[in-house]
Amino acid sequence: DGIMIDKKVLFITGAAIGIGHAACLKFASEGYAIAFNDYNVENGNKALEELKDKGYEAIFLPGDATKEEEVKAMVAKTVDTYGRIDTLINNAGGLGGRSSFEGMETEFWNRVMDLNLNGAFFAARECIPYLKTVKGTMINITTIAAYNGGGPGAGVYAAAKGAVLTMTRALAKELIPAGVRVNAVSPGTINTAFHAASSKELLESFVKAIPAGRMGRPEEVADVMYYLASDQSSYLVGEVVQINGGQMML
């Protein structure tokens, strides 16, 4: 194992762009070393360059967060490099496309479950021993869809994220005796590439439905993630923070 550095270390999946990348920048600015994963090597290298240009300590771990062996290797590489993991953010996830349940291909169901639920389980399982060593934190990502069942064709995404929500509470119960806090964030409509596939009309209809009158910024989610990892949230356990401009109230 590498020498334990005196910086705290963030291990985060799916973080070359969007909310994940915003989290890397936020945690790095607060003095963390960053070990971030993404399956897109080009985006990952670009993100690494940006972090390095700002003088931050970071490594990029290319790979598929849904593949058990690859997650094991990424966590091992992080610990070899930095000697510790203080915060895990299970950020990899996504819609994976849209399909009604009737006529849904089993392969599609499995892919969306892998991306949102199984990948989070693999990373959690690998990181827990290291989080226990430092009394660290874990942050999972759920969504407003976990509560309302999602938009058209997003039912399996909603189901997977609903499972992440429940898993967050189960992990929180299991790990708090060891001093590890597990919480989740639940973003609403955030201005990232996630929505790039949506039509302009669909996006405008989303924004009309947000009391705050705008989409959220990735940085606004990253700030809450950092709060959940910091001692400022020391009594938050198994909590889900809604970040949605008031959308949840409707």
Side-chain angles (χ1 to χ4, degrees):
D1 282 2
I3 324 130
M4 198 188 261
I5 60 167
D6 51 11
K7 277 180 186 287
K8 286 186 169 182
V9 176
L10 169 67
F11 177 81
I12 180 169
T13 58
I17 60 171
I19 291 170
H21 183 55
C24 291
L25 290 168
K26 172 66 180 175
F27 278 72
S29 76
E30 298 284 355
Y32 273 67
I34 309 298
F36 74 98
N37 148 264
D38 206 278
Y39 70 95
N40 186 315
V41 176
E42 192 187 344
N43 287 347
N45 285 329
K46 209 156 46 178
L48 181 64
E49 208 171 303
E50 187 188 344
L51 287 159
K52 296 275 196 198
D53 284 350
K54 292 179 185 291
Y56 298 143
E57 178 59 55
I59 55 170
F60 168 46
L61 304 159
D64 185 342
T66 72
K67 300 273 192 292
E68 197 171 355
E69 293 311 315
E70 293 189 34
V71 173
K72 279 195 164 97
M74 290 177 223
V75 172
K77 176 77 194 288
T78 302
V79 177
D80 281 347
T81 308
Y82 295 129
R84 62 192 287 173
I85 295 173
D86 296 79
T87 298
L88 161 64
I89 300 181
N90 276 312
N91 181 70
L95 214 47
R98 291 182 188 269
S99 172
S100 58
F101 286 105
E102 186 183 4
M104 186 184 292
E105 299 285 341
T106 304
E107 189 274 330
F108 178 76
W109 168 275
N110 288 337
R111 189 168 80 237
V112 177
M113 282 291 167
D114 278 345
L115 183 57
N116 293 288
L117 178 60
N118 298 343
F121 162 62
F122 296 146
R125 186 178 59 187
E126 287 308 304
C127 289
I128 284 168
Y130 302 106
L131 297 178
K132 282 181 166 178
T133 306
V134 293
K135 296 193 179 345
T137 52
M138 186 189 308
I139 298 154
N140 295 325
I141 320 295
T142 182
T143 164
I144 197 165
Y147 296 84
N148 65 20
V156 59
Y157 171 71
K161 287 296 197 184
V164 169
L165 179 61
T166 307
M167 184 171 77
T168 299
R169 291 176 175 146
L171 281 162
K173 283 183 187 175
E174 183 177 315
L175 297 178
I176 194 58
V180 174
R181 292 188 302 109
V182 183
N183 291 291
V185 295
S186 176
T189 310
I190 309 298
N191 191 2
T192 67
F194 181 96
H195 295 291
S198 306
S199 70
K200 196 165 179 281
E201 291 74 30
L202 187 61
L203 269 186
E204 279 169 6
S205 75
F206 280 163
V207 173
K208 277 201 186 82
I210 302 169
R214 64 173 177 84
M215 287 194 279
R217 299 191 312 276
E219 295 75 20
E220 292 175 305
V221 180
D223 285 346
V224 178
M225 288 172 164
Y226 182 72
Y227 167 72
L228 289 175
S230 78
D231 288 340
Q232 284 190 309
S233 64
S234 52
Y235 204 51
L236 264 66
V237 177
E239 191 51 72
V240 184
V241 183
Q242 306 294 341
I243 312 170
N244 56 38
Q247 212 173 346
M248 196 69 183
M249 299 186 293
L250 301 177

